[in-house]
Amino acid sequence: MSMRRREKPIWPLWWPQSVSGRTLQRGFWTSLSRPMSCVTTAACALIGQGKLPEAFSKLQQAEEFCRVSLAEDSDVTEEDINSELAVIHSQMAYIMQLQGRADEALQLYNQVIKLKPSDVGLLAVTANNIITINKDQNVFDSKKKVKLTNTEGVEYKLVRKQLQAIEFNKALLAMYTNQADQCRKMSSSLQAQNPGHPLPVLIQVAQLCREKQHGRAIELLQQFSDKHPESASGIKLTMAQLYLAQGHVTKACDVLRSIEEFKHKAGMVSALVTMYSHEEDIDGAIEVFRQAIEHYQSEQPGSAAHLALVREAANFKLKYGRKKEAISDLEQLWKQNTKDVHTLAQLISAYSLVDTDKAKSLSKHLPSADTMALKIDVDELESSHGATYVRKKAAKATGENPPKEQGQGEIKKKRKKKKGKLPKNCDPKATPDPERWLPMRERSYYRGKKKGKKKEQIGKGTQGATGGASSDLDASKTASSPPTSPRPGSGSTTAAGSNVVPPRQQKPAAPGATRKKAPPKKKKGGKGGW
């Protein structure tokens, strides 16, 4: 089935399966040869059996037969051949879709749609399968394809199962396009037409979950499971997921344990034990193990699944300190395999708290230390590449070097101190500065940095402002103010005893010679006149 969960899976809503067009083969190839019809019929049968690679090769043979038979007629064009091959291409795309090659299948489906075949059943099947590939994406294209499924006469070309799948997809598309009223109407009519089918109820529950009505959704699921217990397994799984989404773990466990079909499956046991452990209900988890072990003990004693459950139950009990309860499980495992040293060690550890004599008697079955010792060369292992600790090599034998005289101690070799390098302009005869190790600011002869005189910034700032001699340039504070401004370029002041220099004369002269004023341009006049 080609199905997909929602992006935020509140419950397991799936897309119904894509529709196969194998029923369209009846009477379609009447103009072609009999071997061609036999090949297509065999391909359809293989699709029904799930043998997809064999069915695909049969369809390729059918395509080849069709092209060869139609190529003999000179009046048949390539477009006519492709239109005749539309059914085969649709079947091939259906196989690709089932194999997970959705992009290739979509491309082939679109080619069939572009040909606009006259068979409305083929168009409806192809459009429905495109909708199942799009799912909750590209809904605008899906809306266009829905119109092809509503063509007049489609109900006479397709079987009931195909029409049912198309209607389910329409309801799902209405839900994903936020058409809540239309989705409710369609799902209610589908439930009335198919009272025992769970998918219409699941569509209604999905719409309620999108509207944040989880309580109403759980009530609807409970009503359906009570009325139709034969198809309630999927409904109860959805109920458990809704309970978990709301944080009701214990209620979800109760619902899962009520599903008789999956109650003793390994996956269900694992899920229940995990949820009970999360709720710190160790007794409930142990009860789940006990019921599952009893079921396999009566149905499949000694099977791999049975022993695996016993092993997990024993480990779980030992993990949570229930060693007394784990003894029976460990004994059952050890009887199945008496050479299992690990299980025997666990059993002895559990008996040591209950019956020490029994633990001592079982310890006799443990292998000796010599048999358990590994034959490993420790020296070779320590000297191997990658060892974190390497043992130092032993000293050489005494016979190799002559013995030292008594009293003669080992003389350690002193390292020679290297003379430091002196600067290039260093005078070795001159006495060094005694304050050379002190910072420059702490030395007695430090006088500070020589800061240059700040030049008065004249001509900067606002118009007429001066740097720092504003008080000196105030004419009201001088002894006598000159009646007129001195001429530019004159070196003496007009008032004797006054050292005030006007601001315009303080402006530094431009470097180089002063520019001469350009003579005024003569106005252009007429030839005669003034």
Side-chain angles (χ1 to χ4, degrees):
M1 295 176 69
S2 176
M3 302 178 288
R4 177 180 175 179
R5 290 182 184 267
R6 295 174 58 198
E7 291 182 358
K8 296 180 180 179
I10 299 176
W11 63 283
L13 177 60
W14 305 101
W15 283 88
Q17 68 178 10
S18 305
V19 177
S20 172
R22 53 182 174 273
T23 58
L24 304 176
Q25 303 294 331
R26 298 174 184 173
F28 188 80
W29 297 107
T30 54
S31 61
L32 299 182
S33 60
R34 187 177 181 85
M36 165 69 193
S37 179
C38 295
V39 172
T40 53
T41 305
C44 294
L46 290 170
I47 291 175
Q49 296 173 6
K51 300 177 180 179
L52 302 181
E54 294 85 347
F56 194 81
S57 63
K58 291 290 183 182
L59 290 173
Q60 288 178 336
Q61 292 178 16
E63 181 182 6
E64 185 179 356
F65 285 145
C66 179
R67 291 187 180 276
V68 170
S69 60
L70 292 177
E72 297 174 357
D73 192 352
S74 59
D75 296 334
V76 178
T77 61
E78 185 66 24
E79 185 177 356
D80 296 336
I81 295 175
N82 290 331
S83 62
E84 291 292 327
L85 289 171
V87 173
I88 294 179
H89 289 165
S90 181
Q91 291 283 31
M92 294 172 72
Y94 175 70
I95 294 174
M96 292 177 183
Q97 184 177 357
L98 294 180
Q99 291 177 338
R101 299 153 59 186
D103 295 336
E104 300 176 35
L106 185 61
Q107 184 178 1
L108 204 52
Y109 281 140
N110 288 325
Q111 289 180 8
V112 174
I113 294 291
K114 288 179 182 179
L115 292 173
K116 297 180 181 180
S118 58
D119 194 338
V120 293
L122 174 62
L123 280 175
V125 168
T126 307
N128 174 78
N129 293 353
I130 291 175
I131 292 172
T132 58
I133 291 177
N134 290 336
K135 294 173 183 170
D136 55 343
Q137 307 294 326
N138 200 5
V139 291
F140 296 105
D141 181 61
S142 297
K143 282 185 176 181
K144 295 179 182 178
K145 298 300 185 292
V146 164
K147 297 178 182 179
L148 298 176
T149 62
N150 297 328
T151 310
E152 185 179 358
V154 172
E155 63 273 13
Y156 304 113
K157 289 286 186 178
L158 304 179
V159 296
R160 184 177 179 275
K161 186 177 181 181
Q162 291 172 325
L163 294 172
Q164 186 185 65
I166 291 174
E167 292 301 320
F168 287 156
N169 284 339
K170 288 179 183 178
L172 284 170
L173 185 62
M175 184 190 69
Y176 283 120
T177 52
N178 297 322
Q179 297 174 344
D181 295 335
Q182 185 178 357
C183 177
R184 277 192 287 267
K185 289 179 182 178
M186 296 179 70
S187 58
S188 299
S189 63
L190 286 171
Q191 187 177 4
Q193 297 171 9
N194 310 280
H197 204 291
L199 194 55
V201 180
L202 293 177
I203 295 173
Q204 294 180 40
V205 171
Q207 183 61 44
L208 290 172
C209 291
R210 291 169 74 90
E211 298 171 1
K212 307 299 181 183
Q213 300 182 22
H214 297 90
R216 174 60 183 158
I218 293 174
E219 183 181 353
L220 194 62
L221 291 171
Q222 186 65 48
Q223 292 175 1
F224 182 85
S225 63
D226 294 339
K227 291 182 181 179
H228 306 280
E230 69 280 355
S231 58
S233 57
I235 297 296
K236 288 184 177 180
L237 287 173
T238 306
M239 289 175 61
Q241 188 172 358
L242 283 176
Y243 276 129
L244 287 175
Q246 293 178 327
H248 305 311
V249 181
T250 306
K251 292 182 179 180
C253 291
D254 295 339
V255 173
L256 291 176
R257 294 181 69 175
S258 65
I259 306 175
E260 295 295 334
E261 185 180 355
F262 306 132
K263 186 177 181 180
H264 303 301
K265 298 288 184 181
M268 183 63 72
V269 172
S270 175
L272 287 170
V273 169
T274 303
M275 287 189 284
Y276 277 124
S277 301
H278 180 269
E279 294 295 302
E280 298 181 356
D281 187 1
I282 308 303
D283 294 331
I286 293 176
E287 180 65 19
V288 171
F289 273 123
R290 186 188 65 79
Q291 292 180 1
I293 291 171
E294 288 180 356
H295 171 76
Y296 278 97
Q297 183 71 33
S298 59
E299 298 292 334
Q300 303 174 11
S303 62
H306 178 214
L307 296 178
L309 277 174
V310 174
R311 167 67 66 186
E312 292 298 328
N315 292 336
F316 182 82
K317 293 172 184 177
L318 292 174
K319 178 181 178 181
Y320 288 95
R322 306 289 184 92
K323 292 187 177 181
K324 294 181 181 180
E325 300 176 14
I327 288 176
S328 59
D329 297 331
L330 292 172
E331 282 183 343
Q332 187 176 358
L333 289 172
W334 187 58
K335 288 178 182 178
Q336 293 289 333
N337 185 10
T338 55
K339 296 182 180 180
D340 190 356
V341 181
H342 178 70
T343 304
L344 179 60
Q346 289 180 328
L347 184 58
I348 292 171
S349 176
Y351 265 121
S352 62
L353 301 176
V354 181
D355 190 354
T356 55
D357 296 335
K358 184 67 174 178
K360 289 179 181 178
S361 62
L362 287 174
S363 62
K364 297 178 182 178
H365 296 281
L366 289 171
S368 61
D370 298 334
T371 57
M372 296 180 63
L374 300 176
K375 297 180 180 180
I376 298 175
D377 190 355
V378 180
D379 296 333
E380 183 180 357
L381 182 63
E382 289 181 349
S383 61
S384 63
H385 179 70
T388 55
Y389 172 77
V390 179
R391 182 183 296 176
K392 294 182 179 179
K393 294 181 179 180
K396 294 181 180 180
T398 54
E400 295 180 2
N401 294 328
K404 296 180 180 179
E405 297 178 0
Q406 294 181 357
Q408 183 181 1
E410 294 182 355
I411 302 173
K412 294 183 179 180
K413 295 183 180 179
K414 296 182 179 180
R415 294 182 178 179
K416 295 181 180 179
K417 294 183 179 181
K418 296 182 180 180
K419 296 182 179 180
K421 294 182 180 180
L422 298 175
K424 294 181 180 180
N425 300 328
C426 178
D427 187 5
K429 296 181 180 180
T431 56
D433 185 8
E435 298 181 0
R436 64 185 181 277
W437 307 117
L438 297 176
M440 182 61 71
R441 291 185 178 182
E442 298 179 7
R443 298 182 187 181
S444 58
Y445 49 83
Y446 179 69
R447 293 293 180 269
K449 295 182 179 180
K450 295 182 180 181
K451 299 181 180 179
K453 296 180 180 180
K454 292 183 179 180
K455 297 181 181 179
E456 295 180 356
Q457 298 179 356
I458 303 172
K460 296 183 179 180
T462 56
Q463 185 174 4
T466 58
S470 59
S471 60
D472 297 338
L473 300 177
D474 192 358
S476 62
K477 295 180 181 181
T478 55
S480 59
S481 176
T484 57
S485 301
R487 294 180 180 179
S490 60
S492 61
T493 58
T494 56
S498 177
N499 297 327
V500 178
V501 181
R504 292 181 180 273
Q505 293 186 10
Q506 291 182 4
K507 188 174 182 180
T514 57
R515 296 181 180 178
K516 295 181 180 180
K517 293 183 178 180
K521 296 182 179 180
K522 294 182 180 181
K523 295 182 179 180
K524 296 182 180 179
K527 293 182 179 179
W530 299 89

